[in-house]
Every structure is written in structure tokens, then in C-alpha cells.
Amino acid sequence: MTISQPTNQLLSGLPPSIRRKLLIRQEPMRLESSTALVELGDSIRHVYFPIDAVVSLLTAPSAENAALEVGLVGNEGMVGVWLLLGVDEAPLRALVQGSGLAWRVEAKTFRRALTRNRDVRATFNRYLYVQLVQLAQTAACTRFHIVESRLARSLLMTRDRVDSREFHVTQRVLAHVLGVRRAGVTRAASSLRRRKLIRYSRGDVEITDERGLERAACGCYAADKETYAGVIGRGRTREDRMRQ
């Protein structure tokens, strides 16, 4: 794997010279499942650009409820986008949901790239917008859509970020994602399994009918994809796209 050909879409949208400056002397590092990259309130020392890892963004647990996933980051984005707002304190917990590789960049190096190139900052500002829309979409989804549809959406989002129909995700993580007890996860997964849309056993997921699962998902899945394609894709010049 080379710096000139990172497999993170956000990095791929940057000019090669900027990528080299961000990733100089860097090698992809492995992120292990259930590892916290940053805790709520921690100072942000690094930003992460997943390659095939998946990271959940979680609210803080309350006395009444467990933590709830409000965002998911994979090879389409980055963890630590909050630095764009001039704040170096994490507003959410970033927990590795699926093991894999990621680029890690020091926060000061990332800030330096932002201040020296307006086009670079514009690229990351567009991603910040996408993530804010995702947060709002997830809030509405959790409130109004049934668990089965939300589970289908979550599995599809994970598929997109690991670029595979097969991956591992535990019931504990899915309970965070959906904001329900594990029994609720079991019922929703069993329903999708009976419809022959997925196979699910001890955390190992295989999507067996992708189109069927897309039909089973709530409209939030398609809305998320359209937002990313529209905002990020629109921000790239024709020359940028031809270089990829």
C-alpha cells in the first residue's frame, strides 16, 4: 500500500501533494475491535482515516440508557472531524466496531494542512456537513422507524464501509447502534434471517440478498448515500475525479 494510492475515499479526494504531507513517514495501523480511539471529553491528538476498519460514534451512556450510536465512519470518511470547528475536545466516543486498517495523522499535522490550503479545508468542510446530516438522520431514524428496518440500514452501511457482504458485528454493538436491548436485536435479526436476507451466527454476518436488504431498510439509508454522493462528489473537479 502506498501513499499515492490510499484506500480511504476522503484522502483520495485530496491532491497527491497534500496526501504526501499528511501521510509522510506513516504506515497504515491496525485498529482492533472494541478499542476506543477517543473518549468523550478527551483531547483529540490524532485523526483517523479508516481503510477497512469501521468506527462507531457513540453518545455517553446515561443512568437510564446505554450509549447510542449516532454515526458510523469507514473508508468514506474520518474520525476527528470536530477539529474543523476549532475544538480539540471530543464530543462523542469513537469505538472500533470492526477491526481493520486506518491511517493515523497527528492533529497538529492535520490542522496545518487546513490552514495552508483553502481547497483542502473546503473538502473537509463538506465531509463535516455530511456527518452532521448523518447525525440528524440517525436521530430521526431512531425515533420513527422500526428496529428491523434500522438493522437493515446499519448492516448495509457497514457493508459499504468494509466493501464486503461478510463481516463481524456483535449483538452488544448492534444494541448500541439501534438503541434497544439485545433481545430486540435478536428478534430483528431473526426476522431478516427468515426472509433469507442475511445469515447471522455469533456475530458473523453475511448479506445473502443485497437488493432485498436494501428494500427492507428504511429510507434513511438511501438518503445518507445521496447526501454523501451529492456533497462530496459535487465538490471535486473533473480533473480530481479523473486522477482517481
Side-chain angles (χ1 to χ4, degrees):
M1 189 172 302
T2 64
I3 287 177
S4 62
Q5 294 179 316
T7 52
N8 174 281
Q9 296 177 47
L10 200 55
L11 286 178
S12 294
L14 299 177
S17 60
I18 300 299
R19 289 204 300 265
R20 285 192 292 269
K21 289 177 181 178
L22 285 175
L23 304 179
I24 189 168
R25 294 188 295 275
Q26 295 289 329
E27 292 291 335
M29 66 177 295
R30 183 164 181 81
L31 305 182
E32 297 296 343
S33 181
S34 300
T35 300
L37 301 181
V38 64
E39 297 284 0
L40 175 69
D42 280 357
S43 178
I44 302 172
R45 295 188 173 88
H46 299 92
V47 297
Y48 297 84
F49 297 90
I51 296 170
D52 57 358
V54 180
V55 180
S56 294
L57 303 180
L58 303 169
T59 62
S62 66
E64 297 81 16
N65 301 296
L68 176 67
E69 181 185 272
V70 293
L72 192 67
V73 181
N75 63 10
E76 89 299 343
M78 64 173 286
V79 177
V81 71
W82 317 297
L83 289 175
L84 289 164
L85 302 174
V87 178
D88 64 359
E89 186 175 294
L92 297 167
R93 187 182 193 218
L95 186 71
V96 180
Q97 173 181 310
S99 302
L101 298 176
W103 295 100
R104 185 176 75 171
V105 177
E106 288 190 355
K108 62 182 180 181
T109 301
F110 179 70
R111 287 196 190 94
R112 192 180 303 124
L114 294 178
T115 58
R116 293 181 177 179
N117 190 304
R118 286 188 297 177
D119 290 339
V120 170
R121 184 170 188 94
T123 295
F124 287 112
N125 280 343
R126 286 190 292 272
Y127 177 67
L128 173 60
Y129 172 82
V130 167
Q131 196 168 89
L132 290 173
V133 171
Q134 185 187 69
L135 291 172
Q137 192 82 48
T138 298
C141 187
T142 301
R143 172 64 179 84
F144 294 112
H145 296 149
I146 63 173
V147 175
E148 183 179 324
S149 295
R150 291 194 286 121
L151 175 59
R153 175 201 180 205
S154 176
L155 296 178
L156 289 167
M157 290 175 69
T158 301
R159 175 204 63 178
D160 293 345
R161 285 155 177 78
V162 300
D163 196 25
S164 174
R165 295 188 304 168
E166 298 182 36
F167 47 87
H168 186 84
V169 57
T170 65
Q171 281 198 341
R172 177 175 176 272
V173 168
L174 288 174
H176 286 317
V177 171
L178 303 174
V180 299
R181 298 181 184 277
R182 294 190 190 186
V185 174
T186 299
R187 286 192 294 272
S190 296
S191 177
L192 295 178
R193 193 166 48 207
R194 283 195 301 271
R195 295 167 64 182
K196 298 183 179 180
L197 303 179
I198 66 169
R199 293 193 182 98
Y200 183 72
S201 177
R202 297 183 179 181
D204 292 325
V205 178
E206 180 187 357
I207 298 175
T208 54
D209 183 349
E210 293 181 286
R211 291 188 178 181
L213 193 63
E214 289 173 4
R215 289 192 294 269
C218 58
C220 298
Y221 171 68
D224 282 340
K225 290 194 71 173
E226 289 172 5
T227 297
Y228 187 92
V231 175
I232 301 297
R234 188 172 62 240
R236 297 181 184 176
T237 66
R238 181 174 180 274
E239 290 74 15
D240 289 335
R241 290 191 290 270
M242 289 178 66
R243 281 199 297 264
Q244 304 311 315

